[in-house]
Amino acid sequence: GTDANGLPQGLSPLTGVFSTNNELGQPKDAKTLTALDIDPTYQDELTIGFEKAFSPSLNFGAKATYRKLKSTIDDFCDASPILAWADRNGVDTSNYGGFNCASFNPGKGNTFLVDFAGDGKYSTVNLSKADLNFEKAKRNYTAVDFFAEHPMRDGWYGRVNYTWSRSKGNTEGQTRSDNAQTDVAATSTWDNYPLMIGANGLLPNDRKHQIKAFGFYELSPEWTVGGNALIASGRPRSCFGNRFDIPDGIDDYGSVYFYCDREVPRGTLGRLPWDKRLDANLAYRPQILKGLSVKVDVFNVFNKQTEQTIDETYNLDGTAINSTYGRVISYTAPRSVKLTVEYNHRF
């Protein structure tokens, strides 16, 4: 049942209270919400390639891409280096209300404003990279693309792309797809250093091989048939569990560590199955009424139900294995059909 406020009653919690971001309703002090003089998130990119018109019926080309993360922003929630700084500098922390997270640049030195006495007077706390105990933020994307294209000629158009890529590092970005955190720049990733042990590896968006093909054929001046095909290798698998060696003074976040009875670095448990999809469409544009088009799209023609996401949480409380570990959370969207009627008129 529920109470007068709509909250559930009679529940038996599976675990104690956990927060994947150390936020349990504490009030925020606006002056301490971010480190001082933080750098924006940015990456460098180098792309080199070519395209060649080989003949009137064939274009081809290739492209190499390299992207390197240079700086990112997330939140930091570990009070232990701040308390260590206070101890080194003889600052009284007996009235300190606690650290409620602040945005910062991971993997670098950062400076925070901290109200140790709770009286609105702030200390400037300079913490080095070593004090924060994080590796540099890393995300490197390398890709090579090849394509062949038949331009619109002789009643048809087609293009095939192949991409080999590698996405590796210790941060996916400012959200997390592996534990479904969509709160931008406020994920659990950099909250404290134990969370980042084993974090460097193949990132969740890594697709080693991708083949994409699309095109259309004019059956007549009024009828056109087309399609899109995708073949992509599956995403890397990871495992998240409880650690039992969290140092004193650091909050235990529960089963979000790269630890499942042992150290399990990110992306080292194989991959999900290959993703294979075909979409098709048929369009009718009657000559008798210029500007009218009727189109039918069929998505996932063969209704392939490929695993897209699985439960990677190994245990919830203690050492017992989570009963839903490895369970499929989402599959490819099933076959669907869309009918579109469109009319364009020029004035």
Side-chain angles (χ1 to χ4, degrees), residues 180-304:
Q181 278 192 284
T182 58
D183 36 351
V184 177
T187 70
S188 62
T189 306
W190 301 96
D191 284 8
N192 59 51
Y193 82 86
L195 292 165
M196 297 304 292
I197 299 173
N200 192 38
L202 294 175
L203 294 169
N205 63 348
D206 180 72
R207 300 275 190 174
K208 188 174 183 180
H209 303 287
Q210 290 189 76
I211 300 173
K212 298 178 181 179
F214 52 93
F216 59 89
Y217 180 76
E218 292 182 332
L219 299 171
S220 71
E222 295 184 329
W223 292 91
T224 303
V225 62
N228 298 278
L230 168 68
I231 302 174
S233 52
R235 295 170 54 167
R237 292 183 55 178
S238 295
C239 184
F240 302 100
N242 293 318
R243 294 193 74 99
F244 304 100
D245 56 355
I246 306 299
D248 292 339
I250 297 180
D251 290 317
D252 185 354
Y253 275 47
S255 50
V256 293
Y257 301 93
F258 293 95
Y259 192 94
C260 300
D261 292 338
R262 58 184 174 84
E263 302 286 352
V264 184
R266 183 197 295 273
T268 57
L269 296 181
R271 291 180 178 269
L272 294 176
W274 282 65
D275 197 2
K276 302 173 184 177
R277 277 180 257 174
L278 174 65
D279 303 330
N281 59 75
L282 178 67
Y284 172 61
R285 297 178 179 86
Q287 297 292 310
I288 194 171
L289 185 56
K290 300 290 186 181
L292 176 66
S293 65
V294 181
K295 185 178 180 181
V296 177
D297 291 277
V298 181
F299 303 100
N300 194 3
V301 172
F302 298 109
N303 203 30
K304 294 284 290 184

Side-chain angles (χ1 to χ4, degrees), residues 52-282:
K52 171 70 174 178
F54 182 74
S55 72
S57 299
L58 177 63
N59 302 329
F60 63 83
K63 178 178 68 173
T65 303
Y66 179 72
R67 300 186 185 118
K68 184 180 181 67
L69 181 68
K70 304 297 289 185
S71 178
T72 189
I73 297 174
D74 212 293
D75 65 338
F76 171 66
C77 301
D78 183 8
S80 60
I82 294 174
L83 294 174
W85 180 93
D87 186 59
R88 291 194 303 269
N89 290 274
V91 176
D92 180 12
T93 60
S94 58
N95 291 320
Y96 183 39
F99 184 52
N100 290 338
C101 305
S103 297
F104 81 131
N105 290 135
K108 302 178 181 180
N110 286 261
T111 301
F112 302 90
L113 289 180
V114 180
D115 181 4
F116 286 108
D119 59 2
K121 296 179 181 179
Y122 300 91
S123 299
T124 302
V125 177
N126 295 294
L127 298 178
S128 67
K129 178 177 180 292
D131 291 331
L132 294 167
N133 205 17
F134 289 120
E135 293 184 355
K136 184 178 180 181
K138 303 173 186 176
R139 187 183 68 226
N140 296 326
Y141 175 77
T142 306
V144 181
D145 297 272
F146 302 94
F147 83 89
E149 178 183 53
H150 182 282
M152 181 55 196
R153 181 181 174 86
D154 301 325
W156 69 282
Y157 169 87
R159 179 174 173 129
V160 178
N161 288 72
Y162 167 74
T163 302
W164 175 93
S165 64
R166 175 61 55 87
S167 183
K168 189 174 182 180
N170 58 14
T171 182
E172 184 180 2
Q174 292 183 297
T175 60
R176 289 190 65 173
S177 63
D178 52 18
N179 69 350
Q181 278 192 284
T182 58
D183 36 351
V184 177
T187 70
S188 62
T189 306
W190 301 96
D191 284 8
N192 59 51
Y193 82 86
L195 292 165
M196 297 304 292
I197 299 173
N200 192 38
L202 294 175
L203 294 169
N205 63 348
D206 180 72
R207 300 275 190 174
K208 188 174 183 180
H209 303 287
Q210 290 189 76
I211 300 173
K212 298 178 181 179
F214 52 93
F216 59 89
Y217 180 76
E218 292 182 332
L219 299 171
S220 71
E222 295 184 329
W223 292 91
T224 303
V225 62
N228 298 278
L230 168 68
I231 302 174
S233 52
R235 295 170 54 167
R237 292 183 55 178
S238 295
C239 184
F240 302 100
N242 293 318
R243 294 193 74 99
F244 304 100
D245 56 355
I246 306 299
D248 292 339
I250 297 180
D251 290 317
D252 185 354
Y253 275 47
S255 50
V256 293
Y257 301 93
F258 293 95
Y259 192 94
C260 300
D261 292 338
R262 58 184 174 84
E263 302 286 352
V264 184
R266 183 197 295 273
T268 57
L269 296 181
R271 291 180 178 269
L272 294 176
W274 282 65
D275 197 2
K276 302 173 184 177
R277 277 180 257 174
L278 174 65
D279 303 330
N281 59 75
L282 178 67

